[in-house]
Amino acid sequence: MQATILEGVTEALRIGVGFLWTAAWAIIMGLAITSLVQVYVSKERMGKILGDGDLRGLAKATAFGAASSGCSFGAVAIGKGLFKKGAHAVNFLAFMFASTNLIVELGLMILILLGWEFLVAELLGGLVLIAVMAVIVHLTLPETLFAEVRETLAERDRESGVSEDPTCGMEGKDGYTLTTDGGETLKFCSAGCLETYEQVTASRGGWRDELLSWGGWYKIGNQYRKEWSMIWKDVVAGFLVSGFVIVFVPQWVWNALFLQGDGLLVTAENAVMGVAVAVVSFVGSMGNVPFAVALWGGGVSFAGVIAFVYADLITVPVLNVYRKYYGWKIMLYILGVFFVTMAFTGFLMELLFDALGIVPDLAGGETATEQTYFEFNYTFYLNLLAFALSGFLLYVYRRGLGAPGQYRDPVCGMRTDDSEPAATHDGETYYFCSQTCKETFAEKPDDYATGHPMVMEGHDH
């Protein structure tokens, strides 16, 4: 018995890590492209008209979301910031849909693990999701409730002194502050966002000039690091969970949850059940794609699998964030609108693909347990190239090539310049990214003083 369990765990890990190896190059290349877009596409211009609930505002919200990162929690946090600033409800919801369904890295992963049919359904379905959601919201939106919650959010943040990170829209922290030339104090969620803001304000020339300088590549490396920091847990968890689901969940479970056979009723039930399984799966962001592979291998229909992929914005942890932000009523409203939208779109995609004769063959190809994942093929060489690109971007960031500032904050390690807060210890002047770091240094200077306040070439720690 123990040997059987051990063999099952080993096989589950082989499949999960094998999936990760198969999709690694796609994830890395997708994140690199996303980082490039994040750095050089102006979010300010795209966000200007999100307060209008018309078609143009909806299109802008969709484009804004597609240019953002693919983290479910990040999308929800930025959506909250847009809503609080006056974005129409339909637009901030469209932003969240686009930022979790129309992004490069997710598309590449779906293409590699599930095939081109699912990629087309994801991209086309992403647009349908937004259109269906917009219609439902325009017909059912409790405008008074949303207006009250918007005011409550603003009042709560004013009372608690919360300010938004101007880089990403998430909540700023006291430890990462910057005072502008006009005397305004800005707060950032992390050192990376503060650095990004400094890089943007210090930029000269267009994006072509930037890509010919170390400073431009430093920005991309910094953003690439931030993108990974937001999603890596979901990605790793999703791949590992998928392996265990494939090995340990018996076929009768999927047969009990998802009706078998043909017909509109079966398609509709599978789509609804796909969303329901996603809600309780606790796997979000891109981590739900390998889980979807497990569902597909378990005989779940096309409608059920693609509806599951759509539903990463209503998993239990994400619903809890909605509750904290907006309260129970709006959380339940979002759950209802999203659930209906996702299930209906999954149902519609299967009908459309069936009419076109392009529903993929569930019985075709090898199963996950039959596949050989680690061999010298195109995946191996693409992964080598992707790992080299990833190493290059992280090397540029860690070495600080082209980073702003010639001094290093001894407390947090950020680069600073001589216009920042300063303190002298043992004859050396140290510069800090914020007053908080300066005060921390002043309490225990011997713990932080390095004797080398300037950035040392080749020693970026």
Side-chain angles (χ1 to χ4, degrees), residues 124-136:
L124 178 60
L127 298 176
V128 174
L129 281 169
I130 293 169
V132 173
M133 178 275 300
V135 172
I136 294 175

Side-chain angles (χ1 to χ4, degrees), residues 191-270:
C193 278
L194 194 155
E195 282 193 78
T196 299
Y197 181 86
E198 290 181 323
Q199 294 155 16
V200 171
T201 55
S203 294
R204 296 293 183 269
W207 64 270
R208 293 181 180 85
D209 296 328
E210 289 278 302
L211 289 179
L212 295 177
S213 69
W214 282 120
W217 284 103
Y218 180 83
K219 293 177 188 179
I220 298 171
N222 181 28
Q223 185 65 35
Y224 179 76
R225 176 190 61 83
K226 287 165 56 182
E227 294 291 333
W228 263 118
S229 70
M230 288 191 292
I231 68 167
W232 74 268
K233 291 181 181 178
D234 282 328
V235 170
V236 173
F239 280 104
L240 293 181
V241 167
S242 68
F244 280 86
V245 168
I246 289 171
V247 172
F248 288 104
V249 176
Q251 184 62 45
W252 67 261
V253 172
W254 304 127
N255 293 341
L257 291 175
F258 295 87
L259 295 178
Q260 306 298 306
D262 300 317
L264 293 179
L265 178 62
V266 171
T267 302
E269 188 275 343
N270 274 226

Side-chain angles (χ1 to χ4, degrees), residues 395-431:
Y395 173 80
V396 171
Y397 173 76
R398 290 297 302 162
R399 285 289 302 270
L401 301 179
Q406 59 180 327
Y407 299 97
R408 186 171 300 285
D409 185 326
V411 176
C412 69
M414 282 188 58
R415 285 180 175 245
T416 63
D417 56 37
D418 56 12
S419 66
E420 306 294 340
T424 301
H425 181 72
D426 288 342
E428 292 283 2
T429 300
Y430 296 89
Y431 296 91

Side-chain angles (χ1 to χ4, degrees), residues 11-25:
E11 178 64 8
L13 291 174
R14 185 188 75 86
I15 293 172
V17 175
F19 281 167
L20 182 57
W21 169 258
T22 301
W25 70 268

Side-chain angles (χ1 to χ4, degrees), residues 135-344:
V135 172
I136 294 175
V137 171
H138 276 297
L139 292 175
T140 65
L141 180 67
E143 294 188 13
T144 301
L145 176 61
F146 270 76
E148 291 173 355
V149 171
R150 194 196 310 270
E151 181 56 36
T152 301
L153 275 175
E155 182 64 27
R156 185 195 306 164
D157 287 352
R158 283 194 294 269
E159 291 177 355
S160 60
V162 173
S163 62
E164 290 177 7
D165 185 328
T167 301
C168 69
M170 299 178 72
E171 182 179 325
K173 300 177 181 177
D174 291 333
Y176 309 107
T177 62
L178 179 148
T179 302
T180 66
D181 293 338
E184 180 185 7
T185 299
L186 304 176
K187 294 183 180 181
F188 301 83
C189 70
S190 65
C193 278
L194 194 155
E195 282 193 78
T196 299
Y197 181 86
E198 290 181 323
Q199 294 155 16
V200 171
T201 55
S203 294
R204 296 293 183 269
W207 64 270
R208 293 181 180 85
D209 296 328
E210 289 278 302
L211 289 179
L212 295 177
S213 69
W214 282 120
W217 284 103
Y218 180 83
K219 293 177 188 179
I220 298 171
N222 181 28
Q223 185 65 35
Y224 179 76
R225 176 190 61 83
K226 287 165 56 182
E227 294 291 333
W228 263 118
S229 70
M230 288 191 292
I231 68 167
W232 74 268
K233 291 181 181 178
D234 282 328
V235 170
V236 173
F239 280 104
L240 293 181
V241 167
S242 68
F244 280 86
V245 168
I246 289 171
V247 172
F248 288 104
V249 176
Q251 184 62 45
W252 67 261
V253 172
W254 304 127
N255 293 341
L257 291 175
F258 295 87
L259 295 178
Q260 306 298 306
D262 300 317
L264 293 179
L265 178 62
V266 171
T267 302
E269 188 275 343
N270 274 226
V272 170
M273 189 56 64
V275 178
V277 170
V279 171
V280 299
S281 70
F282 285 76
V283 179
S285 299
M286 296 193 299
N288 68 352
V289 176
F291 198 120
V293 176
L295 294 179
W296 185 240
V300 177
S301 73
F302 186 74
V305 174
I306 197 64
F308 174 88
V309 174
Y310 293 150
D312 62 331
L313 282 173
I314 53 173
T315 62
V316 170
V318 176
L319 289 174
N320 189 48
V321 175
Y322 294 142
R323 180 191 61 79
K324 290 180 180 178
Y325 283 168
Y326 310 115
W328 280 100
K329 290 183 179 179
I330 286 188
M331 184 273 281
L332 291 173
Y333 177 80
I334 292 175
L335 171 61
V337 171
F338 280 13
F339 196 106
V340 171
T341 299
M342 293 161 176
F344 175 76

